[in-house]
Every structure is written in C-alpha cells, then in structure tokens.
Amino acid sequence: MAKPVKTPAISSKENPSLREIVDRTAVMAKTRRLDISFNELMDMAENGELEIRPEFQRIFVWTEAQQSRFIESLLLELPVPPIYVIEQGEEGHYLLIDGLQRLSTYLHFRGCLTNKYRDVEHGQYLKLESCDIVTQLNGITWDQLDTALQIRLKRSFIIIQVIRKESNNDLKFHMFKRLNAGGASLSPQQSRNAFMRILPNGDQVMDFAESVAKTPDFIATCTSVLSDKHMDGQNDAGFALRFFAFKNARANYIHDVDSFIDDFVEEIAREGASKKTSFDYIKERKHFLKTFEVLNTATADRSFTFPNRDYTELTLGFSVYHFEGVTLGIQPYLEHLDATDSRQMLRLGRALTEARLSSKFKTVSAGGGKNTKRQLDARIAIIGLAVKSMLKL
C-alpha cells in the first residue's frame, strides 16, 4: 500500500480524535493562491522560473481540437481550472505538477512551444479548429488575431495554487500523484512517469524501466506487437514495471493492477539515492534480459499474442494475461533455460504454445475480468508446470 503521510508526533498521553488527526495533517500543507496572466506564465516558463520537466512533455496529449476550444474559452473569458505548482529552491522557482495541457496549449498558440514528442518546434503556431461557439475562429492563428484580441488573450488570468516549499514532502507527492492520476486522457503509465519522479529515487526507477524496455529481445517479443495506443501511453515501460512488480511483490497484489504497480514503484522510489535500495537493479536487469532472450528465441513475436478463435494456433496482437502468465511462469526455472541450446528452445516453444492453447489456460485468460489474484496465480502455475515438465525436473 502507498506510504501514509507522517503526522506530527503525538504524546502517549494523548488520545486524539479522527478530526484532530486530520487537522494536524492538514496544517502540514502550506499553500497560497496567485492570480497570474497567461503572458506572465509564459515569461516564467521561458525564463526558467517555472520548470516543466522533460518527462512531462510526453504527456501533452490534447488534440488540436481540444487545444483550440481552450483558446476559444480564454478569448470568451470563460472560467478555466487552476494550475498547480510546487515552490522549490532558495530562489522560489516553481515546478509544474498540474496544468501541462493548458499551459502547453497557450504556448503552442503563441508559437512558443517546443515539444519533440508532438513534432512541435518553436515558431510553429497552432491553427484553431473545431471551435463550436465562435466558429469564425476556425482556421485562425495567433498572428491573424487583431491587436485587441491578442491583448485580451495575453491578459487572460488563471489561478495558480502554490504548494509552498515548507509543506510536508509526503503531501507534495500525494498531491502530485492525485492531480496527475485524475486526467482521463492520460494512461496509468504516463501519470506514473510524472508523479513518481518527485520522490527521492523516482528518476532512477522510471529511467530503469524505460532503459530495459529498449532492449532488443523485449522489443521483439513485446514492443513490436503493441498497438499504437499502447505505445502512445508509454506502456512498453509500463509492462516492464508490471513484470518487476509481480516478480518481486506478487503476494501484495489483490485486484487493482495499476494501484499495485504504483505501490511497488513508490516503495522503491522512496528510498533515497544515498541509501542502499532493496531493489537490486543489476540483478533485476540480468533476470529481465535472460527472460526475454529465452522467450524471443523460443516463441519470438508470438510470445504474448492471442490464440485464434478455435484455439489451434497463436496469432497476432498482445494479451496482458499471456504476458503475465508466461514471463512469471518461467521464473522458477530460468536458471535451467539456455537460449543458446536450440533443441531446448524448440521444446520450450512447443511447451509454451501448447499450454497457452489449452482449455485450462483459456479459462483463466480469455475475456474480461481475469485480473483476480486467483486467476493470475492459475495462469502462472499452468505455464510453470509446462516448463517443469519440458525440463523433466
């Protein structure tokens, strides 16, 4: 489970009520509200007074239609949600934690956005489309607005909620996590990649996941068959984290996979860089590389694909249930598997295929609602038994 916020020490003589505990925790969140124009916000971003982390650029996901309607809202002086920042450092610079879509949209319309993930360069102007209140705005760019409308947009104000640097660090993390996890347009991995990096060891964990997701055997077995939607959601690194979480902490899994992965990553990320982490990066990388080397040799791009309708062969696509069952099922026997032994790999490929096409595996992997602990354990056990029998152990 996620680590709770530490409340101030309570004397053993005290017996605080729930309300008192809540109140004591609440006072640790020191905030203030500012009303800032978008033009001032843009200046702060360009001068480095407002930091937008590079990882955040990847989750600018608004379509041009969504961006256009936001600009339309500003021009019509309609209310917009606040932006949240964390105050940091002696100079009091701000770190953006919520509001990327709105701020990036304004910068894009002004021609001041650089985002390599969206192929947007400084000097490129957003052309408005799908404006449904003032349809005459469609097709318009910033330089085509008259001076009065340009000034109105520059002077559009937005509320900035500042989490002061004196605030409790755990509360900063939880606010960051909840604000970014709430966006319906973001995948769980996109949100995770943003909010986990605020923790002491967060960059190391997330960078590690991204690095192993770029290894050739993982790409061949997993990434190459993922859909564009999966890739846009950074799910290649997400599936790497899924593997590590289940491999190391499956006993903690109950039902909600994303919360389970978040808790696993958070526990590692909370361990400061100066401490010895319980997660052995070298050992885990070695196991990861061998797992996907073996699978790439034995079943290649059919390692996690769906069976056909008749369950007579494996076809295309990607099944997360097959991914879990296969990658975790072979773990107890990994030391007995040798990717350079062509005969063994041929037998392994046959054993895995037969197991995945079996009626038993179908029962715990076909259709929705198969993410219970019992069914997960059953998938892993079926694959494990097939590998054990193949090895004659």
Side-chain angles (χ1 to χ4, degrees), residues 162-174:
V162 182
I163 295 90
R164 303 294 296 272
K165 59 186 177 184
E166 297 87 0
S167 298
N168 177 275
N169 284 331
D170 281 336
L171 284 177
K172 290 180 184 179
F173 166 75
H174 284 294

Side-chain angles (χ1 to χ4, degrees), residues 144-206:
Q144 293 174 311
L145 289 178
D146 63 34
T147 302
L149 288 178
Q150 287 186 344
I151 292 174
R152 179 184 299 183
L153 198 61
K154 289 179 179 180
R155 292 177 178 173
S156 295
F157 277 79
I158 189 168
I159 297 171
I160 307 295
Q161 292 287 356
V162 182
I163 295 90
R164 303 294 296 272
K165 59 186 177 184
E166 297 87 0
S167 298
N168 177 275
N169 284 331
D170 281 336
L171 284 177
K172 290 180 184 179
F173 166 75
H174 284 294
M175 180 172 288
F176 194 106
K177 176 179 178 178
R178 293 181 186 192
L179 286 169
N180 286 283
S185 57
L186 300 183
S187 74
Q189 179 59 21
Q190 286 174 319
S191 296
R192 186 179 300 123
N193 193 37
F195 65 71
M196 286 299 176
R197 290 179 181 273
I198 198 172
L199 293 174
N201 221 22
D203 284 336
Q204 184 178 6
V205 183
M206 302 312 295

Side-chain angles (χ1 to χ4, degrees), residues 57-185:
Q57 293 181 8
R58 297 180 64 172
I59 57 175
F60 177 38
V61 297
W62 270 6
T63 65
E64 293 193 351
Q66 289 173 304
Q67 295 177 57
S68 299
R69 286 192 287 268
F70 178 72
I71 296 298
E72 181 184 36
S73 295
L74 294 182
L75 288 169
L76 294 176
E77 299 179 329
L78 299 178
V80 296
I83 285 176
Y84 291 81
V85 299
I86 289 178
E87 189 178 48
Q88 56 181 6
E90 294 298 324
E91 297 176 344
H93 287 180
Y94 294 149
L95 169 67
L96 181 72
I97 63 170
D98 183 71
L100 175 76
Q101 313 301 326
R102 281 155 278 158
L103 178 56
S104 294
T105 292
Y106 181 80
L107 295 176
H108 192 189
F109 188 63
R110 292 291 307 275
C112 298
L113 178 68
T114 300
N115 189 311
K116 64 180 180 179
Y117 300 103
R118 294 293 295 270
D119 293 324
V120 177
E121 297 181 358
H122 198 280
Q124 292 181 347
Y125 293 95
L126 169 69
K127 180 183 290 188
L128 301 182
E129 62 176 62
S130 302
C131 294
D132 53 3
I133 300 177
V134 182
T135 57
Q136 293 85 347
L137 286 170
N138 293 323
I140 296 296
T141 57
W142 164 258
D143 53 344
Q144 293 174 311
L145 289 178
D146 63 34
T147 302
L149 288 178
Q150 287 186 344
I151 292 174
R152 179 184 299 183
L153 198 61
K154 289 179 179 180
R155 292 177 178 173
S156 295
F157 277 79
I158 189 168
I159 297 171
I160 307 295
Q161 292 287 356
V162 182
I163 295 90
R164 303 294 296 272
K165 59 186 177 184
E166 297 87 0
S167 298
N168 177 275
N169 284 331
D170 281 336
L171 284 177
K172 290 180 184 179
F173 166 75
H174 284 294
M175 180 172 288
F176 194 106
K177 176 179 178 178
R178 293 181 186 192
L179 286 169
N180 286 283
S185 57

Side-chain angles (χ1 to χ4, degrees), residues 198-256:
I198 198 172
L199 293 174
N201 221 22
D203 284 336
Q204 184 178 6
V205 183
M206 302 312 295
D207 289 345
F208 175 74
E210 292 184 358
S211 70
V212 296
K214 291 181 173 65
T215 54
D217 292 313
F218 184 79
I219 291 174
T221 56
C222 183
T223 307
S224 65
V225 297
L226 290 178
S227 66
D228 290 341
K229 182 179 180 180
H230 272 138
M231 292 305 296
D232 289 343
Q234 304 174 22
N235 282 336
D236 51 345
F239 284 123
L241 286 175
R242 193 185 196 103
F243 167 78
F244 291 121
F246 277 128
K247 175 180 175 293
N248 292 282
R250 180 155 53 105
N252 298 331
Y253 174 64
I254 299 175
H255 184 75
D256 187 333

